[in-house]
Amino acid sequence: MRTGAATPSQQQRSFWRRVRVTGNGRGETALWERGGVLTSHRTTIPSSLCGVAMVNPEVEAQSPAVSGTGGHGGGVVGTGDRGARPDHPKGAAGPEQEQSVLGVPKRGSCSCMETQRLPVEVITYILSFLPIADRKEASLVNHTWYFAAQDSLRQENILYNIPATSTSLAAIESLARRRVSCVSLTSLDGSTVSRDVIQAVSCHLGPHLQSLSLRGSSLTETSFLHLLLACPCLSSLDLSGCNSLFMSGTLLSKPETIGQAREVLTNLQELNLAGLRYLSDLSFSRLTGCAPRLARLSLARCHLTFEFDPYRGSSNYNSTALLSFRNLLRFLKERASSLRALDLSGTSITLPAMRSLVQVEGLRLQELMLQNCRDLSNEAISLLCTHQPHLTALDLTGCSELSDRATLAVSAGLRALQSLRLGKLQRLTDGGFLGIAELRSLQNLDLSECSLVSGSELVKVCSSPELRPNLASLSFAFCSLLRDSSVLSLARSLSPSLRVLDLSSCVSITNVSIQAISSHLPRLTVLRLAWCKELTDWGLLGAEEPREECNHRREKDTGPQFSRNFGNMGFFLPPLQNLEQDPKALSDSSGKESQKQPRASLQALQYLQELDLMACSKLTDTSITQVIRFPALRQLSLSLLPEITDASLVAVARGCQSLEQLSMSHCGKLTDKGFMEAAGSLRRLQHFVISGCSQLTCQTLMAISRECRQLKSLDVSMCHGIRMADIELFQVQLPLQTCVQSRFVGGADLSFTL
């Protein structure tokens, strides 16, 4: 792939002459000369396009890729005057006016270049390698790219959120031209605006909608049926939290309505009824009876009755007041051959109910969600693993009665398991993972808030190439017993496969861990290190901490250290496991072991899309300004870092121009000057949290409203220099703003207000 600047046209050559080109695989810098004056031009390639062949054989060389809208977004290819250097007048001849990377001529180039444009189909294929956000930005280049980007976006199931506002009506017509198939309607109620939105969606989008979400809406039965009957191709329907539909119990009560619903729901495969407190046996049977091909069903947090039997042996399950397990069991027996996923999270399922469920003849579940089923016992999990061995996903988060016996049963019986969530199991220890080597297909493992787990058994399994699973996602969040030695071993073992790592509130890990992650896990896309307070600038920079500074830090921190698992009252220490060594000795041994390995800075993780460094309070401008440069980064949290200043803000904005979510709350040294300088590089920002930054004033709001035109939410709570009048003006300037959090602004007295 050639990335150098294109040779200027014959007319331009009288002005400019390329003297020298230097660069690497990620870009080139061309040195140009005109009349004895030298100037440089940097050619950058979006990280998303690295490795994608885009060569037009008729073009001598490819030109720079311009990032973002107006040259400020990250990783988006653009053309025209947006790529011109600021010191040149618009249209002036120079190295910035060259043939575009996709063969689309730039303004001012020779008309003969028109014949070298790539077909729309080729551009569509190239854009398909970009993330969705980049494709949306690429569609702003010109008409050709717009249609190519729409074709590329259409290839994926992208969910479009449509609020119930008058401004959505024009957008709905635009979405209809793109044949959008996945829509989420929010804030629907009985108002005229909501009825207009429902009418527009029914008319323009309904015929080709495949996925419809009405989560939490308060629409009427009439509006719902009007919308439903206009969507004959639905395969997924989300009615979670739509209590108004089921309050009267008359939904689908008319025979003619049931017949029409059966016609439009004949291909429905996924139905979400979570959180419906008025769902009864009668309404459940009516709705599911219209969907003969249902494969996924969610009844999470519904008021299912397991022990009370209102029918006393009768087979006519038509209660209008109760949703009974007996009726659910009837449904499972009828649909056993097609049902593959069931969500009973937040219900009080018992051992007898579990025994009846898993023994339904012909039932072969692949996914079962049982979050926060607090009555679930180890014996119930054993029965599940015995009778449903084909499960690929199991969620037991918050099932507080479970212990090591449950996880041992899972390891022995569910050999095809790919996703296992065991968060908040306070009785779970490392002994529960003695058989985890049997789960050879395991890809996602969540052990967050398992306060007695240190990861030692998982380390033993992963140290053997023959036994270790190919984990892509691993969470040890709030596991205060996790040590540097375990992180170091896991980073080495899981290097080929791991993409998501969550070590939030693992208060014992130090710079050894972050350097091991940077060295061995270069393909990470998500890294969460919130509240890891022992991390310092040396760890992020990949440098060895001076011995004097290390000794001083240890002397300063000789007191007990606690996480939110154990509190910080100072009365007790976290219990040491028998297999654990003294933390200080273990840290020292880990440090000696890590010295044998090459060190890398955090900047080595160039595929990062999400990074959380919240409350890593020892970090300063020294590391943030040097290493937070990730072209693909979408989410970043630097909240509660009291030492960072405007220098960090500006460096982050310039080094991470793809940012969509940025949190810098309670960073007291940030000022208006930093935001005014950084806002121009945050063109893609959608969610911005700067609460508690006490030095900010209305000038920050002005800079944000001027540059961050895609902003959807802003939190300026506890910013004493910002007044309510400033916020009202800000909302006028950004009419599409969805949410502004402004609690205690303008210097409100918190103690008096609370």
Side-chain angles (χ1 to χ4, degrees), residues 13-326:
R13 285 175 186 172
S14 61
F15 294 95
W16 292 95
R17 180 173 64 89
R18 187 163 62 175
V19 179
R20 183 162 54 95
V21 176
T22 60
N24 51 34
R26 296 298 299 269
E28 293 181 354
T29 299
L31 193 63
W32 296 78
E33 183 268 336
R34 180 178 68 171
V37 178
L38 295 178
T39 184
S40 62
H41 183 73
R42 175 67 179 170
T43 300
T44 58
I45 303 172
S47 59
S48 309
L49 290 179
C50 288
V52 182
M54 299 187 300
V55 178
N56 184 348
E58 298 184 16
V59 181
E60 181 184 37
Q62 313 296 359
S63 76
V66 181
S67 297
T69 305
H72 293 286
V76 181
V77 183
T79 60
D81 291 328
R82 301 189 207 181
R85 286 182 21 238
D87 57 335
H88 281 266
K90 186 176 292 188
E96 66 275 6
Q97 294 181 325
E98 300 157 1
Q99 180 72 12
S100 83
V101 72
L102 296 183
V104 181
K106 293 185 178 181
R107 229 173 279 174
S109 58
C110 294
S111 59
C112 61
M113 292 291 185
E114 293 288 336
T115 60
Q116 297 175 357
R117 289 184 178 179
L118 293 179
V120 174
E121 294 79 8
V122 175
I123 301 177
T124 298
Y125 175 73
I126 293 172
L127 294 181
S128 68
F129 289 88
L130 291 171
I132 293 175
D134 288 351
R135 277 180 260 174
K136 290 166 62 178
E137 293 291 332
S139 67
L140 303 178
V141 173
N142 55 34
H143 283 87
T144 302
W145 282 43
Y146 176 81
F147 291 113
Q150 300 312 313
D151 289 340
S152 179
L153 288 170
R154 217 175 282 131
Q155 296 171 4
E156 299 184 21
N157 292 326
I158 301 171
L159 181 66
Y160 290 82
N161 292 305
I162 302 177
T165 61
S166 57
T167 56
S168 299
L169 299 177
I172 291 172
E173 295 183 12
S174 175
L175 292 175
R177 291 191 289 270
R178 309 180 198 178
R179 300 184 65 83
V180 168
S181 61
C182 301
V183 163
S184 175
L185 301 180
T186 59
S187 306
L188 289 176
D189 52 28
S191 65
T192 304
V193 173
S194 292
R195 289 197 296 269
D196 291 341
V197 169
I198 291 174
Q199 176 65 33
V201 171
S202 302
C203 179
H204 299 289
L205 301 180
H208 40 80
L209 270 188
Q210 298 180 13
S211 175
L212 175 63
S213 173
L214 303 174
R215 182 188 300 265
S217 296
S218 300
L219 71 171
T220 63
E221 294 180 23
T222 304
S223 297
F224 169 69
L225 290 175
H226 176 74
L227 177 59
L228 182 67
L229 298 180
C231 305
C233 302
L234 278 183
S235 62
S236 175
L237 178 62
D238 186 351
L239 299 178
S240 58
C242 296
N243 287 293
S244 62
L245 286 178
F246 300 88
M247 187 178 299
S248 65
T250 59
L251 183 65
L252 298 177
S253 58
K254 298 178 180 179
E256 61 273 17
T257 306
I258 293 179
Q260 293 172 332
R262 283 176 178 168
E263 292 181 7
V264 298
L265 297 180
T266 184
N267 295 316
L268 192 70
Q269 298 183 7
E270 182 176 357
L271 179 61
N272 189 346
L273 301 176
L276 295 177
R277 59 180 178 270
Y278 300 114
L279 186 64
S280 65
D281 283 342
L282 185 59
S283 55
F284 174 77
S285 299
R286 287 172 179 169
L287 189 55
T288 55
C290 297
R293 300 182 182 179
L294 207 59
R296 305 174 64 88
L297 174 65
S298 174
L299 294 173
R301 303 180 305 283
C302 288
H303 294 174
L304 267 168
T305 59
F306 291 92
E307 297 180 352
F308 175 70
D309 183 7
Y311 300 107
R312 302 181 185 276
S314 172
S315 59
N316 188 16
Y317 307 128
N318 58 359
S319 172
T320 59
L322 295 174
L323 179 63
S324 65
F325 176 71
R326 183 178 291 275

Side-chain angles (χ1 to χ4, degrees), residues 562-624:
F562 308 98
S563 72
R564 283 173 279 180
N565 301 62
F566 296 94
N568 58 356
M569 297 299 293
F571 298 129
F572 58 88
L573 287 168
L576 287 175
Q577 301 297 300
N578 293 332
L579 49 87
E580 287 291 329
Q581 306 175 22
D582 175 70
K584 182 178 177 181
L586 185 56
S587 179
D588 291 341
S589 63
S590 301
K592 292 178 181 178
E593 188 177 2
S594 66
Q595 287 177 358
K596 303 175 183 178
Q597 301 295 329
R599 299 175 185 270
S601 75
L602 191 68
Q603 198 174 356
L605 308 180
Q606 282 296 299
Y607 293 94
L608 275 185
Q609 297 180 21
E610 178 182 344
L611 176 62
D612 190 351
L613 296 174
M614 181 175 69
C616 297
S617 53
K618 296 181 180 179
L619 300 181
T620 68
D621 289 342
T622 303
S623 59
I624 300 298

